[in-house]
Amino acid sequence: MAGSNLFRKKTVQDILKQVAKNEADGHAALGRHLTAKDLTAFGIAAIVGAGIFSTIGKASADGGPAVIFLFLFTALACSFAAFAYAEFASMVPVSGSAYTYSYVAFGELKAWIIGWALIMEYAIGNITVAISWSDYFTGLLESGGIHLPQWIQMDYLTASNGFKDATALMQSGKSFENLSEGLKVAYTAWTTAPTIGSFHFVADLPALFIIILITALVYRGMKESRNASNMMVVVKLCIILLVIAVGVFYVDTDNWTPFAPNGVSGVLKGVSAVFFAYIGFDAISTTAEECKDPQRDLPRGMMWAIIICTVLYVIIALVLTGMVNYSLLDVGDPLAFVFAKLDLKWMSGVIAVSAVIAMASVLLVFQMGQPRIWMSMSRDGLLPKRFSRVHPKYKTPSYATVVTGFVVAIPALFLNLTMVTDLCSIGTLFAFVLVCAGVLVLQNKKDIPRGKFKTPYVNSKYVVPFLLAAGLIYAFQFNTKATMGFITNETQTFKAQDIVTSLNKEDSRKVYAYLQNIEHLDKGAVAADLENMLSKYQNDDSRYATVVAGLPIDNALKYESGFSLFKHKIPMWIFLFSLIGLTIWSFKENLSLIPLLGLVSCLYMMAELSVWNWIYFTIWLLIGLVIYFGFSRKNSKLNFIQ
């Protein structure tokens, strides 16, 4: 009996009754101000931000112009998930998003897990956006002649890791001037920061500033947040259209050749960055209780936001890769970079201003979503009662909003941008997977009240097995080498920079002597840049493999093999076995194709993230389970009903 309580479910009828009783329980109703147009604007505000102003650069550098296919694939996957969100939002038009939907479909334990994952999505997502905003803001100040010390505009982990890598590269012969811009900045921040003993005080203070400002705005009310968001959306859309209108005249179609320079693997390498560009449309569903007609407007808002943003992303990607060679785009501010490269500095300034506005609007939407998740969990007794407190004047979840500010602000001072981006992506994808699965679980249940929106039904019974068979034929017939390398766990050679940064002084001396010998250099020559000497062989795979094989260092520094290599493939193996299970399920139960494709697409993107993200995410979920069994389970309102 105790075990069954873990999966006790809420009915749609009970949820709707609970909303009606909120005021009697001391939970005042939220103000209803939002229309479909406002929801679309919120979606654009959330989506058009760090993705188009920052992460699009790294993704384009990896995939070349073909990165547009990754944008289209990701948009398609998000659209499938959006159908599932829209159906649930129409069925259960209350705050809570995927958490509330999972409570209906799977029961309390899984609802808690998804709610805990959503805390990661919104909190970590906010941290990511705050750090990106800080980068653009300090860059804007720099262009205006205001120079802040590096140690107050960078997170601790980036500075620490950058200092270590820069030191290793300089020991191998690279001069400080020849380091990448990011490493130079990190090295400077670390070496100039105030110290307390061995601790270096490096913290991103501008990120703290914007979080405090946005939290105060969200606390004040939905109407104020809506007006600010709509204004920022108009500004950044105008700027993006200006970028396209001006940039198209500088496109050189030769830059689109080759279209996919690094093949499919290069395109897929940007999955995390590109998916992060779409995170945010699901935040719309947390505003259900503040919509005038949630059952009609929520689906429309989600779909229009994804469609508009996808069109913008594809056009921007084509313009960027047409203006300069894709290989130059691995920078933090790609839009400003390409115009500066073409000596259009006035455009760079305009873009920098719009990026600051865009990042702020993303943070606004994310900072609205988090408190409303907590409010819903608190209403159910899974979090302390104060989290569901609504401000009597501003009609916002006041306590939860303030706590959100602290939860986001403190880590933003110290955490690394890449780490938080990937963590945010895996938390969000996990939520998408469960929402899509929830629609599939409920599709044949007759006692569930249906809303105005229902996902169009297409029987997947034969479609999914056919797609699986087609994928296997492609893998073994046309991509044989990569497929067999994956299955047999074929040893991989480290890249030049990875090898060089792992060397000690003695190993560096040996490697330099070896390269000096095969290149027939004068023994008395001044020490050269070891990374550059080794990197130039990477353009020829067979030659690089031969050179690395001859390096007079331990094989562990040259190759990755065995379990250390296999562990990175574990997420993909999980996906493949899950795909087989889903194919069998679809054949037996005649599952609806659209939510099933959403589940498969999102699970695949999770598999493309590193195993470390899965490990960190698992640790996060385990912490959540400790809280659930220690507090939430016994305080759940369902505990007093059953």
Side-chain angles (χ1 to χ4, degrees):
M1 182 69 179
S4 65
N5 284 345
L6 296 177
F7 303 101
R8 53 198 174 192
K9 298 178 182 179
K10 295 178 70 175
T11 66
V12 175
Q13 295 92 333
D14 287 340
I15 292 173
L16 297 177
K17 286 178 184 176
Q18 182 180 322
V19 173
K21 292 180 180 178
N22 280 339
E23 189 168 352
D25 292 339
H27 308 308
L30 300 174
R32 293 187 179 274
H33 304 290
L34 304 178
T35 64
K37 184 174 68 174
D38 296 321
L39 293 170
T40 302
F42 273 137
I44 296 171
I47 297 172
V48 179
I52 206 162
F53 287 99
S54 181
T55 57
I56 193 174
K58 179 69 167 64
S60 298
D62 289 332
V67 75
I68 64 169
F69 295 120
L70 185 54
F71 278 114
L72 292 172
F73 168 72
T74 307
L76 195 61
C78 288
S79 296
F80 292 147
F83 272 106
Y85 265 94
E87 181 165 339
F88 264 124
S90 181
M91 186 191 309
V92 193
V94 298
S95 295
S97 185
Y99 158 75
T100 301
Y101 311 154
S102 295
Y103 220 143
V104 173
F106 302 114
E108 185 171 283
L109 180 60
K110 289 186 179 179
W112 167 265
I113 291 172
I114 197 64
W116 191 247
L118 286 170
I119 291 174
M120 171 177 277
E121 174 191 348
Y122 289 109
I124 299 294
N126 286 348
I127 293 166
T128 306
V129 176
I131 294 171
S132 297
W133 183 91
S134 174
D135 291 341
Y136 269 94
F137 180 70
T138 53
L140 185 61
L141 293 181
E142 292 275 344
S143 65
I146 301 173
H147 304 285
L148 300 177
Q150 294 292 350
W151 55 271
I152 69 167
Q153 53 178 298
M154 177 174 288
D155 64 273
Y156 183 89
L157 285 178
T158 297
S160 176
N161 294 335
F163 172 77
K164 292 174 184 175
D165 287 346
T167 301
L169 290 171
M170 287 191 287
Q171 286 177 349
S172 68
K174 186 182 283 290
S175 66
F176 180 79
E177 290 72 22
N178 288 330
L179 292 173
S180 69
E181 193 61 34
L183 286 181
K184 284 194 285 189
V185 171
Y187 184 89
T188 302
W190 187 259
T191 54
T192 58
T195 57
I196 303 174
S198 60
F199 177 78
H200 291 243
F201 184 82
V202 182
D204 197 338
L205 296 185
L208 175 65
F209 163 76
I210 189 61
I211 291 168
I212 293 173
L213 185 65
I214 293 296
T215 301
L217 178 59
V218 172
Y219 184 91
R220 284 278 299 175
M222 176 57 74
K223 189 180 292 185
E224 290 77 7
S225 300
R226 177 199 65 187
N227 294 340
S229 173
N230 289 347
M231 179 192 70
M232 289 188 279
V233 166
V234 170
V235 170
K236 66 182 176 182
L237 285 181
C238 289
I239 297 300
I240 289 169
L241 293 175
L242 177 63
V243 167
I244 294 171
V246 174
V248 73
F249 291 102
Y250 293 88
V251 168
D252 181 355
T253 53
D254 289 342
N255 287 326
W256 290 339
T257 305
F259 199 72
N262 298 315
V264 175
S265 62
V267 174
L268 293 177
K269 193 175 179 181
V271 161
S272 176
V274 169
F275 178 73
F276 184 75
Y278 282 94
I279 289 177
F281 80 84
D282 57 315
I284 298 173
S285 64
T286 68
T287 66
E289 288 182 48
E290 291 145 291
C291 298
K292 292 181 178 178
D293 188 350
Q295 293 186 319
R296 181 196 67 188
D297 294 341
L298 279 168
R300 293 182 181 182
M302 289 182 192
M303 295 303 176
W304 275 115
I306 291 175
I307 292 169
I308 293 170
C309 293
T310 300
V311 172
L312 291 175
Y313 278 151
V314 169
I315 296 174
I316 284 287
L318 287 173
V319 169
L320 284 180
T321 54
M323 291 175 70
V324 300
N325 187 274
Y326 72 93
S327 61
L328 302 176
L329 290 172
D330 188 8
V331 293
D333 52 348
L335 268 66
F337 169 80
V338 294
F339 285 101
K341 189 82 175 171
L342 296 173
D343 204 28
L344 296 171
K345 303 210 183 298
W346 66 273
M347 276 294 294
S348 294
V350 170
I351 290 167
V353 172
S354 66
V356 168
I357 295 172
M359 301 291 184
S361 68
V362 176
L363 190 61
L364 174 65
V365 177
F366 274 37
Q367 205 74 344
M368 282 193 308
Q370 176 73 88
R372 284 153 180 80
I373 299 292
W374 279 348
M375 180 182 71
S376 294
M377 296 175 77
S378 175
R379 284 174 173 176
D380 297 329
L382 304 186
L383 286 177
K385 203 169 184 179
R386 66 189 65 177
F387 280 91
S388 57
R389 185 184 302 157
V390 174
H391 196 283
K393 178 180 178 182
Y394 301 132
K395 304 297 182 185
T396 58
S398 52
Y399 180 83
T401 300
V402 172
V403 173
T404 297
F406 280 103
V407 168
V408 175
I410 295 172
L413 294 171
F414 307 107
L415 286 185
N416 177 276
L417 181 60
T418 302
M419 177 186 293
V420 292
T421 300
D422 289 347
L423 283 173
C424 180
S425 294
I426 196 169
T428 307
L429 286 166
F430 182 71
F432 287 6
V433 164
L434 284 190
V435 170
C436 291
V439 170
L440 295 173
V441 167
L442 297 179
Q443 73 171 31
N444 294 322
K445 293 193 175 182
K446 306 299 183 185
D447 57 341
I448 302 293
R450 303 292 174 178
K452 296 178 182 177
F453 179 87
K454 193 171 187 332
T455 305
Y457 177 78
V458 178
N459 194 336
S460 65
K461 181 170 186 174
Y462 299 110
V463 177
V464 172
F466 171 78
L467 292 176
L468 177 60
L472 290 173
I473 292 171
Y474 170 80
F476 285 99
Q477 189 71 31
F478 302 102
N479 198 27
T480 309
K481 183 179 179 182
T483 302
M484 294 308 299
F486 176 84
I487 294 173
T488 60
N489 203 39
E490 183 181 340
T491 298
Q492 301 289 317
T493 305
F494 283 123
K495 291 185 178 180
Q497 181 170 333
D498 295 328
I499 292 175
V500 172
T501 53
S502 67
L503 302 178
N504 57 34
K505 286 186 178 181
E506 180 60 23
D507 286 333
S508 295
R509 186 190 62 76
K510 290 179 182 177
V511 170
Y512 176 71
Y514 168 76
L515 294 176
Q516 190 179 46
N517 183 58
I518 65 173
E519 294 183 12
H520 307 294
L521 296 177
D522 181 4
K523 300 292 184 184
V526 177
D529 183 341
L530 190 58
E531 185 198 3
N532 281 350
M533 291 176 71
L534 189 57
S535 294
K536 65 185 180 183
Y537 295 105
Q538 288 185 151
N539 294 328
D540 184 338
D541 290 343
S542 59
R543 176 62 173 155
Y544 181 67
T546 302
V547 170
V548 170
L551 294 177
I553 55 176
D554 190 273
N555 280 343
L557 300 175
K558 298 187 288 186
Y559 304 110
E560 190 171 23
S561 60
F563 183 74
S564 65
L565 176 61
F566 176 77
K567 68 186 178 186
H568 299 296
K569 300 177 181 178
I570 292 174
M572 187 56 69
W573 280 112
I574 292 174
F575 167 74
L576 293 174
F577 284 119
S578 299
L579 185 58
I580 294 171
L582 290 169
T583 303
I584 295 170
W585 187 27
S586 69
F587 189 82
K588 285 184 174 181
E589 301 294 334
N590 298 320
L591 298 179
S592 178
L593 182 63
I594 290 177
L596 183 59
L597 288 177
L599 193 161
V600 171
S601 300
C602 293
L603 193 58
Y604 172 75
M605 286 191 284
M606 285 181 70
E608 285 290 341
L609 298 175
S610 78
V611 68
W612 296 112
N613 292 307
W614 285 66
I615 292 172
Y616 296 145
F617 183 58
T618 301
I619 293 171
W620 175 259
L621 292 183
L622 290 175
I623 294 171
L625 289 176
V626 170
I627 296 173
Y628 174 77
F629 286 105
F631 173 86
S632 306
R633 186 184 178 195
K634 59 187 176 185
N635 287 283
S636 168
K637 289 192 175 180
L638 290 185
N639 203 38
F640 302 102
I641 296 174
Q642 299 180 352

